[in-house]
Every structure is written in structure tokens, then in C-alpha cells.
Amino acid sequence: MLHSLKAIQSYKSGNTPEAQPLWLQLLAAAEKPHINLERIHSIAELEGTNPVLDYTERTLHVLEELQVSFWVREIMEDVLIWSETAKAGSLEQRRVWQKQGVNLFVHNLGSAQLYDLYAEADHLDNDIGKSRETSLNQLGSPGDALSKNADINEHDALNSHTPRHEVIRTLIATHGLIGQYIRGEIPFAENASLHALIVKGWLTTDELHTILMALNECIIAGVDPALWNQVQAEVQRIVGWIIAGPDHEDWNVKERLSRLRSSSIRQGEAMDTAYAKLQTELDVEQALAPLAHRTLWYVESAMQDFSLQEMVKVFLLTLRSDSMHPACMESRSEIVRHISFEPLMNTMYYDYKGVKKLNIYKKRMIEKYLELYAWEQITAGEQIVYPHLTHRIERHEDLPDTLFVTFEFSPAAEKLIAFCIEAEKSPLYEKAVLLLFDLFGLRRDAYDRFHNEETYLSDMNSSGDYKKVLLDYIVGKRVLDIGPGGGILLDLIEQEKPEVEPIGIDISANVIEALERKKQREGHRWQVMKGDALQLEQYVQPGTVDTVIFSSILHELYSYIELDGRRFNSDTVVAALRSSFRVLSPGGRILIRDGIMSEPEAQKRRIRFLEADGMRWLERYAEDFQGRAIQYERISDNEVVLPINDAMEFLYTYTWGEEAYVHEIQEQFGIFTPTAYENCIREALGEQAEIITLRHFLQEGYTEALGERMIFMEENGEPAPLPDSTCLIVIEKKKGLANG
């Protein structure tokens, strides 16, 4: 086993860090993990762990399995044990290092500086280190210059100016850069010092090739063995470029951006389309030319969820900041070489119920802020005044060559965002989100299911069998799906009706982003657009749509959209129907699948709860439900009598459970009785509209889901079936009449 792995094993077995080599003492002393959050699933899991030490150990295990010569293994072991030290150390140690000018934010350079500071002492104080050094000098294998040191005394061999030390230091200083070049984060010139090892005669081309391939396998497979298999061929090609010379041509701007957005592209971003659109607004090559010779740290982790346009705006705001201004840089001895997005990365993530989550609240505010900037304003260096948010580009005195990029929220905004995150677990959610959107001037009905959007979209996709019935009523070539959710109906139309052009429209940016990624990833032909269901003619020409589908969406419009100062307003449904009717072609259809209320409305039902907390659920629901006052009469500890529609509205939420509670209490599923629905349609659309289907039914699954949780009865206690929950309505626009 490698000496370093034995030392780590000893430390993890309970031996005190002070008895360990200095590099291990530094790694063991880490009080705060300084790592890339991209591959972390839960930030909370980092507490009480040492991910930097764990990663170092994994890289050493990879090294132990490699078939390399003894001297290569010795060199690489020293490189790996020191290459993560700039991410470690106690807070007090890190403060001292910063005062000494150690770059703790560009970790490979900082680790190389720490190797300079500590490696000699570590070798002199550690018998393992001394025996390792002596054996290496006796072998004299790594290159002619290194072999010449075989006869010098131990102190000279350990002197920081020996070729061995410089080789290891160079490998630490370039640690991970090949992977970062593949990701578009650095210019090729950052690897120039590796070629210099050949020029100085310290390593042969074959030796450097062997070391770099082995070292990068340790570095990358230590993250993920599958990732190494994926990039091994590209690593080999880049190692060849490094050996050939330091002046290899860099990626062009589009290629570098594509590499910086590789995660977004894997998730379904259409990079070529996005770049072409951006080129119509901006000369991207010229605008981003100043980034060519600069390294970019944590870009993908910080901005993978932003659009290409938003990323480029952040780059330009950084380049136009005071600290990057040419006049400012001329007055400094150091010009900016590194740009770190680590502060932005750290502000964009947090834990929610044990899972790392993107802070959608902050993302939406930042998007709004960036939207306010025209390209000309950024180029001119104008500063937009936006309440409670600004971009911040910082430059620390002890690191004059490094910029730090983030967005700064006001204290009030930070506290309100934190409150919204916590409020998602309670009925305060809606009030909290609306306060936040008022603070930033965003549209109130456009907010998303922030934390359970993925679950929500998955649930929507699982309802495909229920939606499939709508396919039988589609007419014509062009179909609008209002509120497409996870895209299941768009998929069904595409599969079952290849002659039809499906288009999804949704007000939620989350939904549209997810669908755009799904489309690109899976190669769908349907289209999606962000839009308002009450203003469809802004997105499609009147009279050009053959079928408009409202699948379980009218009740959401009714519940969430504030019209004439109030929600839960039937005028919202009227407005949506009229908007859809205006874009409908003669002979076209509106299809509605949604909740229904029972009639006569005055009838009552009795519920006997079979679960101990059933009554508490009802009491809580009656207090929190936003749609209307829920009336009930408690007749025992586990039985209540209540109006049939209040009973069903409660049971819909009771069925979905705790996770959906804070959202379900905002929505009224049954908004009309069959008669009221018919009256609403006739009032909204008049004689031009013909209702050709109006039927209702109990959605499959409710009886089974509730059967072991409660007994549903007539008011007199006789067993009763659950009433119909869902309606299917087909409205046809008569031919030969003008648009309404």
C-alpha cells in the first residue's frame, strides 16, 4: 500500500493528526469544505465529513492500481497528496496563508505555493518522506537532470530549487488543468509550464506523457471512473498538444462557450440555436475576446441553470467592471488573470429536505435584473439601479490578479428569500412568495412550484392514460396545449397524430425551460413558448389554431390569476375561453378536462375517518383553504357532515398528502357544476359556440386511494360512492361566423 494511504488509514483509525505527515495534518484540519458543488447531491452531507481528504484518498487508490514505474508512482504520490491542500487547513491557517499571498481561490496555484512553503519541512520531519526521497535519488530515473541529483547530499536533494521539487511543484500548479481545458475554463497557455519540463531537460517526452496520462486518470477517475472512460481519448490528444509545444491554438469563443455549458447541453439546451440567436444581437467573438487569456473558475457550477444569453451578460458585466477597466489595470502591477464564480456558485445552492437545490428565487431575480440590461448599456458601462439586487465584482488586495463574481441581494431580500424557502413547508408559502415578487416587481401569477417542480412534472407525466382520451376529439393540424406540464400530452399528440403540429404554452419559466431541455434531449418536434393563457392572440394569429386544450388547467387559472383584484374569479375562466376562441379557426375545438362540482350543491355527505389524524387534517384544511369557506359539522371524534362539494374539495387534497398540501390549499379543483359550466361557456362564447360533449366521471384511483383512509356516506350514514370528480367538455366553433 502507498505510504500516503497508510497514513490516511492510520488517521481514520483514530490516531491524532499531529502524529501524521504535514500534508495530512493540513487536510485533516479543514474546517469548511472548499469544493465544486456540481457533483454534490446534498450540501448537508458535507457537515461532519472531509470531502477534500476523501477525494485525495480516492485519487491515491486509483494511483495504487496503475501499472506505472516506481519513480512515476513516487512523483505522482507527492503531487496528489499536496494538490488539494489549498482547499484545506483551519480557518486560522487560511488567514495566515492569505496574508502570505497564497492564492486559496485558484486552488492548484495555492497548493503549489503551500508545497513550496511546507514540503521541505515535511520531508525532513518525516522518516517516510526521507526514505522516499533517498530511494528516488538513488534510482535517478526521472530524466537526465533528475538523475544527476543521485549523488548530492540529503539537504541539497530537498532544497526547493532541485529539479525534482520543481517537477512536482509544476505538476501541482497544473493539477486538473487538462480537465479544465476540456471544460473550457482555461486557455491552453496555462499548461505551458509542463512543456518547459521537457525544454529544461528534466523530463523526456515519453516520461511527461506517461506522468500526465496517469496523473489525469487519478484526478478524473477520483471524481468518477465513468467520466475518465468518457474523456480519456481527449486527454490523450491534449497531452500530445502539450508535449508538442506551448502555442497550441485555443478553442474559439463558440467552442469555449459550448464546453462551459456542457451540462446545460446534456440537459437539452440547443446550443447552436441559442448561439445563432445571440449572434444576431451581439458580436460575440469580439465582445468576449478579453476572456481569451483568462481562466474562469466554477462557471458551469454557478451558471449552468442560466441561459446562454444570461451567461454572456454576466461575462460582459464582469469585463466592464471598474476592476477590469484598462485605466484601472494600468495603475496596478498585476492585471487580472483569473475570474472566479465561486461566490456566485455558493449563493445559488442550499439544502431542502436533504437535497441540494438551486435557489430558484434568486435565479428568477437575477434573470429579471439581467433582462433589464440592453447590450449597449453593458458595453457603455452603465449601472442599472434595481431595488434589492446588484452584481458585484470584487478584487482582493492580497490577490490582485483574481476577480470574484456574484450577485448581492439586500439584507431584506436575503431574509425574505430565506423565509420563502422555509414557508414552502407551510400555508405561509403563498403569502411569502407574493411578498417576494412584490419586492422585485414580478408578476404575481407567474411563480412556480419551486421545490417540487420536478415531482410535479413527473406526476403530470404519469397521468398520460387520463389525458389520452382527449386525442379522440382533436381536429385540424394545429393544436395548442395550454399549461403542458411535463409534456405528456404533447408527446401523445406527436406519437398518435403525426400529421398534427402540437404547441405548448405555459406562464411558468420552470416548465418552459424543462420542456425545452426535454425536446432537445429526446428529439421532439413539438414547440413550446412562454405565454399568457388570457392573451393567446399575442403568440398566435387569430383564426389559425384548430384545437385548444385545457387539460386540468382552467382550475389553476381560476385559482391563481388575480383578475379585477381577486382570485377564484369565474371571470378568469371566461377570459381564458374567449382568448382561446379568438385564435380558433372555424370548425375548431376547445377541449376541457378538469374538475367538476356535484349538483344539487345543497346535498351533504358524511365522512368517517379511519386514520387518527384525519380530523386534524380537515380542521387544518378548513382554516388554510383559500378558495372558499369550508363548512362542516363535527358529530364525533372521527365523523363529520359537510356539503358534498366541500367534502370532495377536501378529499382531493387529503389524497395527495403532506408534500402537496401547501400547493393544493391554493387551488380549487372543482370550480363549476355541469350546469354552471354550460352557462359559463354560453356567456363567454355566445351563439358561435356549440357544446358537442359535456360529460363527467369519477377519476380512476380516488376510490382506491381513499378506501383505507375513510368511509364516505350519505348524510344518514348509508354507504355512498364518491361523486364525479372530472368533466370532459368539447366546444366547437361554428363555421361561417366571424371571430369573436
Side-chain angles (χ1 to χ4, degrees):
M1 180 181 287
L2 295 173
H3 294 299
S4 52
L5 284 174
K6 288 180 181 178
I8 293 173
Q9 188 178 76
S10 171
Y11 164 67
K12 289 189 171 182
S13 297
N15 291 334
T16 59
E18 290 75 13
Q20 306 298 344
L22 185 53
W23 61 267
L24 182 52
Q25 293 180 42
L26 297 179
L27 294 178
E31 296 178 25
K32 179 184 177 183
H34 295 266
I35 61 173
N36 194 321
L37 296 179
E38 187 177 334
R39 294 179 178 270
I40 300 300
H41 298 291
S42 173
I43 299 171
E45 289 178 4
L46 299 179
E47 297 180 10
T49 66
N50 192 327
V52 175
L53 178 58
D54 291 344
Y55 170 70
T56 301
E57 185 178 15
R58 291 197 303 274
T59 64
L60 291 166
H61 277 299
V62 177
L63 172 60
E64 192 170 43
E65 297 300 317
L66 293 183
Q67 299 299 312
V68 293
S69 64
F70 177 76
W71 73 266
V72 169
R73 191 181 308 277
E74 292 282 317
I75 289 280
M76 288 178 56
E77 184 174 12
D78 272 357
V79 172
L80 293 174
I81 63 179
W82 283 96
S83 288
E84 300 296 316
T85 50
K87 299 179 182 178
S90 67
L91 295 178
E92 180 57 36
Q93 283 174 317
R94 295 180 69 81
R95 280 192 287 268
V96 171
W97 291 341
Q98 282 184 285
K99 290 179 181 178
Q100 293 175 315
V102 176
N103 193 332
L104 300 179
F105 299 95
V106 181
H107 301 123
N108 55 311
L109 297 182
S111 294
Q113 291 172 296
L114 292 176
Y115 178 74
D116 277 342
L117 285 171
Y118 292 121
E120 182 176 348
D122 195 31
H123 280 301
L124 288 172
D125 294 340
N126 183 356
D127 289 336
I128 294 174
K130 284 192 285 187
S131 64
R132 185 167 64 240
E133 179 72 25
T134 301
S135 66
L136 177 61
N137 284 334
Q138 289 171 347
L139 285 170
S141 299
D144 294 340
L146 291 185
S147 65
K148 293 176 184 176
N149 289 315
D151 297 326
I152 61 179
N153 64 47
E154 184 177 74
H155 180 270
D156 288 337
L158 296 170
N159 186 277
S160 63
H161 296 291
T162 64
R164 181 186 188 280
H165 179 103
E166 290 302 319
V167 167
I168 293 172
R169 187 195 188 285
T170 300
L171 293 171
I172 295 171
T174 56
H175 178 270
L177 292 190
I178 289 178
Q180 287 168 279
Y181 181 67
I182 291 173
R183 291 163 61 99
E185 294 172 333
I186 66 162
F188 186 80
E190 292 294 310
N191 291 295
S193 59
L194 290 170
H195 182 76
L197 298 177
I198 298 173
V199 175
K200 294 176 181 178
W202 293 348
L203 292 177
T204 67
T205 56
D206 288 343
E207 288 168 346
L208 182 58
H209 183 276
T210 298
I211 289 175
L212 290 182
M213 287 303 298
L215 187 58
N216 277 275
E217 182 171 355
C218 293
I219 294 167
I220 298 172
V223 174
D224 181 359
L227 182 61
W228 169 247
N229 293 332
Q230 179 185 331
V231 302
Q232 181 178 359
E234 189 164 17
V235 170
Q236 179 132 346
R237 186 164 65 252
I238 294 169
V239 168
W241 296 344
I242 291 170
I243 289 171
D247 300 323
H248 186 82
E249 184 177 350
D250 267 312
W251 313 124
N252 62 35
V253 168
K254 182 185 176 184
E255 179 65 21
R256 191 175 186 188
L257 287 173
S258 297
R259 289 172 177 273
L260 288 170
R261 298 193 62 76
S262 58
S263 177
S264 306
I265 293 169
R266 285 195 301 272
Q267 292 301 312
E269 179 179 70
M271 179 66 188
D272 288 342
T273 302
Y275 189 83
K277 182 177 183 298
L278 188 60
Q279 277 283 68
T280 65
E281 305 170 6
L282 178 75
D283 185 340
V284 186
E285 291 273 350
Q286 180 180 348
L288 296 185
L291 290 181
H293 305 298
R294 296 187 167 103
T295 68
L296 305 172
W297 298 83
Y298 298 103
V299 174
E300 190 167 17
S301 298
M303 290 195 284
Q304 62 181 320
D305 291 291
F306 290 100
S307 69
L308 173 65
Q309 182 186 72
E310 289 159 352
M311 174 188 273
V312 171
K313 281 190 175 182
V314 173
F315 286 159
L316 293 185
L317 287 171
T318 303
L319 292 171
R320 297 300 180 271
S321 68
D322 288 342
S323 54
M324 291 284 282
H325 193 278
C328 178
M329 290 194 293
E330 286 174 8
S331 65
R332 298 173 182 260
S333 58
E334 297 273 356
I335 63 171
V336 172
R337 179 183 170 194
H338 311 288
I339 302 175
S340 172
F341 295 86
E342 185 177 13
L344 178 57
M345 175 190 74
N346 290 333
T347 198
M348 293 305 296
Y349 296 102
Y350 63 95
D351 267 292
Y352 181 79
K353 296 186 177 181
V355 178
K356 183 191 73 174
K357 288 285 186 179
L358 172 73
N359 195 319
I360 295 290
Y361 303 98
K362 288 188 174 180
K363 178 174 182 276
R364 292 287 176 249
M365 308 312 159
I366 293 170
E367 286 172 341
K368 177 71 173 179
Y369 177 78
L370 294 173
E371 186 182 329
L372 296 175
Y373 270 103
W375 298 111
E376 297 78 12
Q377 291 173 299
I378 299 177
T379 303
E382 292 184 29
Q383 176 74 42
I384 295 291
V385 178
Y386 186 52
H388 303 287
L389 175 62
T390 188
H391 64 280
R392 182 161 301 284
I393 317 297
E394 296 182 340
R395 192 170 182 179
H396 302 166
E397 287 187 7
D398 52 353
L399 291 172
D401 66 344
T402 306
L403 284 187
F404 300 90
V405 182
T406 191
F407 285 84
E408 183 174 82
F409 293 80
S410 71
E414 287 282 5
K415 287 182 171 59
L416 189 48
I417 289 169
F419 176 57
C420 285
I421 293 168
E422 192 61 30
E424 274 245 355
K425 307 166 191 174
S426 78
L428 289 170
Y429 166 70
E430 182 211 16
K431 293 179 181 178
V433 171
L434 294 183
L435 279 172
L436 184 65
F437 274 53
D438 283 345
L439 189 71
F440 285 93
L442 299 179
R443 178 171 163 168
R444 282 173 152 233
D445 62 296
Y447 62 86
D448 307 291
R449 292 169 173 81
F450 286 104
H451 294 294
N452 72 340
E453 187 73 62
E454 295 160 6
T455 304
Y456 169 73
L457 295 179
S458 176
D459 289 341
M460 293 302 98
N461 281 350
S462 70
S463 66
D465 290 342
Y466 306 152
K467 296 174 182 284
K468 202 166 187 177
V469 65
L470 294 166
L471 300 183
D472 295 335
Y473 298 93
I474 290 174
V475 294
K477 299 291 187 185
R478 201 175 191 208
V479 177
L480 286 188
D481 180 14
I482 310 300
I488 184 61
L489 188 54
L490 294 173
D491 287 348
L492 287 171
I493 296 170
E494 183 177 275
Q495 293 161 14
E496 303 293 329
K497 293 185 171 292
E499 75 283 1
V500 168
E501 176 193 356
I503 303 170
I505 293 183
D506 204 296
I507 194 68
S508 165
N510 275 5
V511 168
I512 295 302
E513 288 170 5
L515 287 174
E516 288 283 11
R517 291 193 297 268
K518 172 182 166 70
K519 176 186 175 181
Q520 183 74 9
R521 198 168 56 240
E522 300 176 5
H524 292 289
R525 61 180 174 81
W526 42 252
Q527 304 293 322
V528 290
M529 61 180 73
K530 189 173 185 291
D532 183 353
L534 307 190
Q535 304 289 337
L536 292 176
E537 58 271 33
Q538 292 185 8
Y539 315 101
V540 292
Q541 287 293 320
T544 64
V545 176
D546 300 308
T547 303
V548 178
I549 301 175
F550 293 97
S551 180
S552 202
I553 198 67
L554 279 179
H555 80 272
E556 293 203 358
L557 302 179
Y558 172 84
S559 300
Y560 285 111
I561 292 182
E562 200 171 88
L563 196 65
D564 298 328
R566 62 190 177 93
R567 295 165 53 204
F568 304 99
N569 186 346
S570 60
D571 289 344
T572 305
V573 178
V574 170
L577 291 173
R578 287 176 175 167
S579 171
S580 61
F581 208 65
R582 284 193 291 270
V583 301
L584 209 60
S585 63
R589 290 178 175 179
I590 297 172
L591 312 184
I592 299 170
R593 179 190 168 277
D594 217 313
I596 195 79
M597 295 173 74
S598 295
E599 51 188 1
E601 296 183 66
Q603 59 186 314
K604 294 188 176 182
R605 291 293 184 267
R606 179 184 295 199
I607 294 175
R608 179 184 301 152
F609 292 107
L610 302 179
E611 295 178 323
D613 66 345
M615 188 66 74
R616 181 190 63 81
W617 255 88
L618 176 60
E619 292 170 347
R620 177 187 176 199
Y621 179 82
E623 182 177 342
D624 295 336
F625 181 57
Q626 301 290 307
R628 62 176 184 267
I630 298 295
Q631 306 293 327
Y632 67 94
E633 179 187 356
R634 182 169 177 168
I635 58 176
S636 74
D637 288 343
N638 66 340
E639 286 193 24
V640 292
V641 172
L642 64 174
I644 187 170
N645 290 313
D646 286 357
M648 288 305 294
E649 200 64 49
F650 161 68
L651 289 176
Y652 298 139
T653 298
Y654 191 50
T655 303
W656 281 99
E658 188 67 39
E659 179 66 21
Y661 181 82
V662 296
H663 302 295
E664 294 301 318
I665 59 170
Q666 314 297 330
E667 301 179 7
Q668 183 171 317
F669 183 60
I671 57 177
F672 295 125
T673 64
T675 300
Y677 239 130
E678 185 173 355
N679 292 338
C680 176
I681 292 167
R682 298 201 185 285
E683 175 193 344
L685 307 181
E687 294 182 359
Q688 286 185 286
E690 180 180 358
I691 300 174
I692 62 174
T693 299
L694 198 168
R695 63 185 182 89
H696 40 90
F697 50 90
L698 177 63
Q699 185 64 63
E700 183 181 342
Y702 279 121
T703 300
E704 294 76 11
L706 292 167
E708 296 182 359
R709 304 180 68 191
M710 62 98 210
I711 298 174
F712 197 74
M713 299 171 284
E714 301 282 356
E715 187 175 4
N716 62 9
E718 291 294 318
L722 294 173
D724 290 348
S725 62
T726 308
C727 67
L728 176 63
I729 305 174
V730 180
I731 307 164
E732 191 164 277
K733 186 173 188 176
K734 295 179 181 179
K735 294 181 179 180
L737 295 173
N739 284 333

